[in-house]
Amino acid sequence: MIIRWLPLSFLFVLPLLLGGCFGSSNTTSTKQQAGPDRPEDVYESVLTYTGDGMHLPNGDRTEKIAKAKKEEVITATENYIKENYHVKVKVHNMVGGKDGVTVYFESLGRLHFYSTAIVPINPSTGKVAQDKVWTLSKEVEDAIRAALYAYIMEEEFQELDNLLEELQEENDIVGRTKKAVANSGGLGYETPYYFVQAVDLDDAINPVYELFMEDPDAPKSELKNAYRAEKFKPENVTFSIQFYMSRENTEPDQEVFNTIVEAIKSNQDIPSGSYSVDLHDHYILKKNGEGYKENSLSRSAPDEIIK
């Protein structure tokens, strides 16, 4: 079953969901207190973080069950996503909660995105409810929309990738590791430097999404022809650029942050959309994979960059 809730951002919904259904937890977007010392059991270098430290209250027992019955959880997830979204997936990580496990997966094939599914587990009996897998409202659907946007705008996305790679090479900044993205992402179309979310209000990409859902094998040319550029609204496709300082014990650099912002503003060849930019210090909070802290430099709504 697909659970329909209010269409809030994944960054806020996932922790609240897991807190409400599986125990209590803070939202991942809450900025953490920054200080000169970072306890190793709380923070980890962005260069080594892989997402393995993610944790939710009351989740130890179900996570142990999920890992002991890993094949059941994986099969249940694969079958559910394939049946409902016509996409094959690869499971990367499982994070236990009070009454189940959140499964982080990556799509396989021509569309590329990351998302999550929730597999209920009875902590008393150890039973995996393979027939009751569910997903957050519209999260997988919107991830597919973002992936389709990237697929039909391949040249523009390649320009964005090149731009961000150049910024990393020319400044003391880095993105997350690919393994960290796979194990702790789940945010849609995602790379080590950014993630993209496209909502169902996007009338430009919706015809492409509808065509894909009707015919998952539709040629790329047909998908591109279905796109309605005249209906595009930047606020419906959001790009979140996330960089970290490459050196330990280094505060986010205002000059470098300004350079990133200006590079995005001045490039006319990157994908259209609404861009936010964040520059964090060197560390990631282990329990939720976030870099946000009080010293993070951010440009976001209502002052995002419109392309």
Side-chain angles (χ1 to χ4, degrees):
M1 59 178 173
I2 302 175
I3 303 300
R4 293 296 183 188
W5 287 4
L6 293 176
L8 301 176
S9 168
F10 184 98
L11 283 174
F12 295 92
V13 174
L14 178 58
L16 288 174
L17 167 76
L18 296 175
C21 293
F22 301 155
S24 61
S25 173
N26 294 327
T27 62
T28 59
S29 62
T30 301
K31 294 187 178 183
Q32 302 299 319
Q33 187 71 32
D37 298 319
R38 301 249 180 351
E40 291 185 1
D41 61 336
V42 178
Y43 294 95
E44 185 171 343
S45 165
V46 66
L47 300 178
T48 61
Y49 180 75
T50 62
D52 292 335
M54 296 184 71
H55 173 74
L56 288 164
N58 305 310
D60 291 344
R61 190 169 182 181
T62 52
E63 189 165 319
K64 288 179 181 178
I65 295 171
K67 290 180 177 179
K69 299 186 176 182
K70 181 178 179 181
E71 293 306 316
E72 287 186 40
V73 174
I74 291 176
T75 299
T77 303
E78 291 176 339
N79 290 343
Y80 177 84
I81 300 300
K82 180 64 176 177
E83 179 180 348
N84 288 277
Y85 302 106
H86 316 303
V87 175
K88 293 182 179 180
V89 300
K90 178 180 181 180
V91 171
H92 288 290
N93 195 16
M94 296 180 289
V95 179
K98 181 181 178 182
D99 297 311
V101 63
T102 298
V103 181
Y104 289 77
F105 64 82
E106 175 184 5
S107 66
L108 302 175
R110 58 177 178 164
L111 294 189
H112 188 248
F113 65 91
Y114 297 90
S115 194
T116 62
I118 293 85
V119 180
I121 295 175
N122 187 319
S124 298
T125 65
K127 182 179 179 180
V128 177
Q130 297 188 60
D131 59 339
K132 297 187 182 299
V133 179
W134 55 285
T135 59
L136 294 172
S137 175
K138 301 181 182 180
E139 293 298 341
V140 177
E141 294 92 330
D142 289 349
I144 293 174
R145 288 183 176 89
L148 284 165
Y149 187 53
Y151 183 61
I152 65 174
M153 300 290 179
E154 184 177 2
E155 292 184 4
E156 291 85 346
F157 272 78
Q158 186 60 60
E159 176 67 23
L160 177 60
D161 292 341
N162 293 342
L163 174 63
L164 298 181
E165 288 171 3
E166 289 174 5
L167 285 168
Q168 176 180 264
E169 292 172 359
E170 296 170 359
N171 300 276
D172 290 331
I173 55 177
V174 293
R176 290 179 299 158
T177 65
K178 290 183 178 180
K179 192 169 184 180
V181 173
N183 286 339
S184 64
L187 295 171
Y189 182 85
E190 192 165 2
T191 78
Y193 309 112
Y194 66 94
F195 62 87
V196 185
Q197 294 175 310
V199 300
D200 62 351
L201 298 176
D202 184 5
D203 290 331
I205 199 68
N206 275 341
V208 186
Y209 174 81
E210 291 166 2
L211 174 58
F212 174 79
M213 293 304 290
E214 292 174 3
D215 181 10
D217 298 319
K220 186 175 185 178
S221 58
E222 291 185 13
L223 294 171
K224 293 182 71 172
N225 288 337
Y227 184 70
R228 297 291 177 261
E230 71 278 4
K231 296 185 177 181
F232 180 81
K233 293 182 179 180
E235 63 266 27
N236 291 332
V237 180
T238 58
F239 290 75
S240 179
I241 297 172
Q242 304 280 325
F243 274 114
Y244 295 77
M245 300 304 295
S246 62
R247 300 179 183 178
E248 296 184 2
N249 302 316
T250 304
E251 292 288 303
D253 189 295
Q254 185 69 55
E255 184 175 344
V256 172
F257 176 76
N258 293 341
T259 297
I260 299 169
V261 170
E262 289 304 314
I264 297 298
K265 290 174 62 177
S266 62
N267 192 306
Q268 303 304 314
D269 297 322
I270 60 178
S272 297
S274 175
Y275 286 75
S276 65
V277 178
D278 294 289
L279 179 59
H280 311 295
D281 63 20
H282 183 75
Y283 301 94
I284 287 180
L285 192 66
K286 286 184 176 183
K287 70 176 182 180
N288 56 24
E290 278 291 343
Y292 287 104
K293 310 173 197 69
E294 287 190 349
N295 62 352
S296 294
L297 300 176
S298 302
R299 175 164 178 173
S300 58
D303 191 32
E304 65 268 52
I305 302 166
I306 304 300
K307 304 296 291 185

